[in-house]
């Protein structure tokens, strides 16, 4: 690639960067007017810094350019080439300083070293206004350097600037050395602070995005579990009502009344799920399971033992009962389903076992995130529990859930019986 095409490509890149910077400034002015109108505190105080932020500091070299233009500088060709080289290297370095990968590249460090050599050569050869290229070199060093090496590099650069200036101008070395150190450290501090603010803002946006995703996942799980179970019960009871309508009208009307009750309860649960305040009741879910299983001719056998459970544990176990019974009603072809809740001082276990042909593989395989048994497994794992599902030891299908006991506050009145037989 020829030098002409390379120069054209870089000029095109700079024009595009300048256009982006102008557009960002225009957006910032629009937001600023909106902030003044509404009185809100802005979250973003301006466009992100770029190489254009440090380019205006090249005006510090106007004194040297003026001396060269007026013919007051000996060897003007060498001085002109040195001035052009310094400015080119400075622009190259500061535009790469705002991209981490380019800032840490070897090319940038080599360009910075060459810039230091040119600065020392021009300052030692001409003195005067050429000595103020050292603070410009400090700006470039501060824009590129990060980490523990910055202090040593800054002090070394200031010392070198002081030595060269003492050789050319005597006591002016203190001012040049101090301004070089100050420009290096202040530039590095400001740009490091800007990077930190941008990283914090990015982290905050990422946390907000993850919170939204987590809430969407929670709502999708609740909606799946609510509607999947409720619609299954409605379908089963509707079929039972249709079968009974011809020979036992009262029984059919009882099934229709159950459908109405289930539908009303589902509406309430969906409203509560939308607002995020739904807490499942294990006793209520067990009663629903008894009704749903009986409607399809499955004999429900329910056992419960152990101390009372906290609301969080009951809510999670209620979800497991809902999902497991839905699978039994829809897929198992069983004639008997046994639900056992056994509590211990530290953990509680729930088992739902049937004697059917089993649940289809699509309902239990790994990788179906957010629905069915996989979604329940994620919930229980997050709460410190576990969920296993698979063929029973003899036949049928078994779902087993374990959770740490969330002890509730002691209820008023007589203590509950240690064992509760629900069927």
């Amino acid at each position: 690639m020829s030098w002409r095409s390379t120069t054209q490509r870089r000029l095109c890149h700079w024009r595009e960067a300048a256009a982006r910077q102008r557009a960002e400034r225009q957006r910032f002015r629009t937001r600023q007017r909106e902030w003044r109108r509404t009185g809100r505190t802005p979250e973003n105080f301006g466009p992100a810094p770029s190489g254009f932020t440090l380019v205006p500091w090249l005006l510090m070299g106007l004194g040297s350019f003026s001396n060269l233009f007026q013919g007051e500088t000996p060897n003007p060709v060498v001085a002109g080439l040195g001035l052009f080289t310094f400015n080119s290297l400075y622009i190259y370095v500061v535009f790469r300083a705002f991209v981490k990968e380019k800032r840490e590249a070897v090319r940038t460090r080599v360009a910075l070293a060459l810039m230091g050599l040119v600065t020392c050569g021009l300052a030692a050869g001409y003195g005067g206004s050429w000595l103020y290229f050292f603070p410009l070199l400090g700006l470039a060093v501060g824009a590129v350097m990060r980490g523990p090496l910055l202090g040593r590099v800054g002090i070394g650069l200031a010392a070198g600037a002081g030595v060269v200036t003492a050789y050319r101008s005597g006591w002016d070395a203190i001012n040049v050395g101090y301004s070089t150190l100050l420009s290096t450290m202040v530039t590095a501090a400001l740009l490091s602070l800007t990077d930190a603010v941008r990283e914090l803002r990015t982290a905050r946006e990422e946390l907000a995005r993850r919170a939204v995703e987590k809430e969407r996942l929670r709502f999708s799980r609740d909606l799946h579990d609510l509607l999947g179970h409720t619609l299954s019960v409605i379908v089963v009871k509707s079929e039972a009502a249709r079968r009974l309508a011809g020979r036992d009208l009262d029984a059919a009307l009882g099934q229709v009344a159950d459908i109405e009750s289930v539908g009303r309860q589902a509406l309430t649960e969906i409203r509560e799920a939308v607002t995020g305040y739904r807490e499942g009741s294990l006793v209520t879910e067990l009663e629903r399971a008894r009704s749903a299983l009986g409607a399809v001719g499955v004999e429900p056998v329910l056992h419960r033992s152990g101390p009372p459970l906290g609301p969080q544990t009951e809510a999670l176990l209620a979800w497991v009962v809902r999902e497991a019974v839905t699978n039994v009603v829809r897929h198992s072809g069983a004639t008997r389903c046994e639900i056992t809740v056994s509590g211990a001082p530290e953990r509680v276990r729930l088992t739902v076992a049937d004697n059917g042909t089993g649940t289809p593989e699509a309902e239990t395989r790994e990788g179906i995130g957010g629905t069915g048994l996989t979604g329940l497994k994620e919930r229980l794992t997050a709460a410190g529990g576990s969920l296993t599902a698979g063929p029973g030891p003899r036949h049928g299908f078994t779902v087993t859930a374990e959770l740490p006991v969330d002890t509730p506050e002691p209820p008023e009145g007589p203590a509950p019986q240690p064992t509760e037989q629900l069927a």
Side-chain angles (χ1 to χ4, degrees):
M1 183 178 294
S2 64
W3 66 270
R4 181 176 299 176
S5 60
T6 303
T7 304
Q8 291 177 350
R9 181 171 57 84
R10 289 181 178 175
L11 288 175
C12 182
H13 174 73
W14 288 340
R15 283 196 294 268
E16 292 176 355
R20 288 195 299 269
Q21 191 79 359
R22 287 194 298 269
E24 182 64 25
R25 285 197 299 268
Q26 183 61 35
R27 286 193 294 269
F28 173 69
R29 293 192 189 100
T30 303
R31 291 194 298 266
Q32 199 173 33
R33 288 193 293 268
E34 180 68 18
W35 294 331
R36 293 196 190 101
R37 186 178 64 82
T38 59
R40 293 187 301 134
T41 302
E43 294 183 359
N44 187 356
F45 290 93
S50 65
F52 293 100
T53 308
L54 299 179
V55 166
W57 289 99
L58 282 176
L59 295 175
M60 293 177 61
L62 281 179
S64 303
F65 180 77
S66 176
N67 294 337
L68 180 64
F69 184 75
Q70 295 175 4
E72 299 176 1
T73 302
N75 299 321
V77 175
V78 176
L81 290 175
L83 183 62
F84 176 79
T85 303
F86 178 87
N87 291 337
S88 300
L89 289 174
Y90 179 86
I91 294 174
Y92 178 79
V93 168
V94 297
F95 271 96
R96 295 175 64 89
F98 292 89
V99 180
K100 183 177 180 181
E101 293 76 12
K102 294 181 179 181
R103 181 173 66 236
E104 297 177 352
V106 177
R107 290 183 178 181
T108 306
R109 304 301 172 91
V110 172
L112 196 62
L114 291 176
M115 186 177 171
L117 293 176
V118 172
T119 303
C120 291
L122 293 175
Y126 297 103
S129 58
W130 297 83
L131 295 172
Y132 292 99
F133 283 153
F134 278 112
L136 285 174
L137 177 61
L139 285 173
V141 171
V144 172
M145 297 296 295
R146 297 288 192 276
L149 290 178
L150 175 64
R152 284 177 284 182
V153 172
I155 293 175
L157 181 61
V163 170
V164 174
T165 306
Y167 167 73
R168 293 294 307 188
S169 302
W171 287 104
D172 198 29
I174 298 177
N175 294 330
V176 174
Y178 177 73
S179 59
T180 301
L181 179 63
L182 189 64
S183 64
T184 303
M185 295 304 182
V186 171
T187 303
L190 290 177
L191 295 184
S192 297
L193 182 60
T194 302
D195 291 342
V197 171
R198 292 170 62 188
E199 291 175 0
L200 288 174
R201 184 178 294 118
T202 302
R204 185 181 61 181
E205 293 174 354
E206 178 66 17
L207 289 175
R209 185 185 64 82
R210 291 187 179 182
V212 171
E213 290 182 353
K214 183 178 180 180
E215 183 62 18
R216 286 176 179 172
L217 181 60
R218 180 200 68 81
F219 182 72
S220 65
R221 287 172 175 171
D222 286 0
L223 197 60
H224 167 269
D225 294 339
L226 283 170
L227 294 182
H229 173 79
T230 302
L231 293 178
S232 297
V233 172
I234 290 176
V235 169
V236 168
K237 288 187 173 291
S238 299
E239 292 175 351
R242 178 176 52 82
R243 290 194 304 267
L244 295 171
R247 62 177 186 272
D248 191 346
L249 184 58
D250 292 337
L253 291 175
Q255 295 294 333
V256 173
D258 288 345
I259 292 173
E260 180 182 1
S261 176
V262 170
R264 292 182 183 278
Q265 184 63 30
L267 287 175
T268 302
E269 291 175 347
I270 289 175
R271 293 191 187 102
E272 292 174 349
V274 169
T275 56
Y277 295 114
R278 185 178 189 276
E279 289 187 357
S281 171
L282 182 58
V283 173
T284 303
E285 205 59 54
L286 290 173
E287 291 300 328
R288 292 179 187 171
R290 184 203 302 276
S291 175
L293 292 171
V296 295
V298 179
E299 179 188 359
V301 181
L302 288 77
H303 304 281
R304 183 173 180 180
S305 62
L309 304 175
Q312 181 68 20
T313 302
E314 282 217 359
L316 290 172
L317 294 181
W319 283 115
V320 177
V321 171
R322 176 186 290 266
E323 181 65 27
V325 170
T326 300
N327 288 336
V328 171
V329 170
R330 295 173 58 187
H331 308 294
S332 69
T335 59
R336 176 186 172 90
C337 178
E338 185 172 352
I339 303 176
T340 305
V341 181
S342 56
E346 296 182 356
R347 295 184 74 82
V348 60
R349 172 180 291 187
L350 167 68
T351 304
V352 181
D354 63 71
N355 63 348
T357 57
T359 301
E361 181 183 356
E363 293 291 327
T364 60
R365 69 174 183 265
E366 294 291 336
I368 311 177
T371 60
L373 296 176
T374 303
L376 286 175
K377 183 176 181 180
E378 293 174 357
R379 292 186 182 205
L380 267 66
T381 301
S386 62
L387 179 71
T388 58
R394 297 180 182 177
H395 46 68
F397 195 81
T398 302
V399 176
T400 303
E402 288 191 4
L403 278 170
V405 173
D406 181 17
T407 305
E409 295 182 0
E412 297 181 359
Q417 297 295 328
T419 301
E420 178 183 355
Q421 186 73 20
L422 299 178

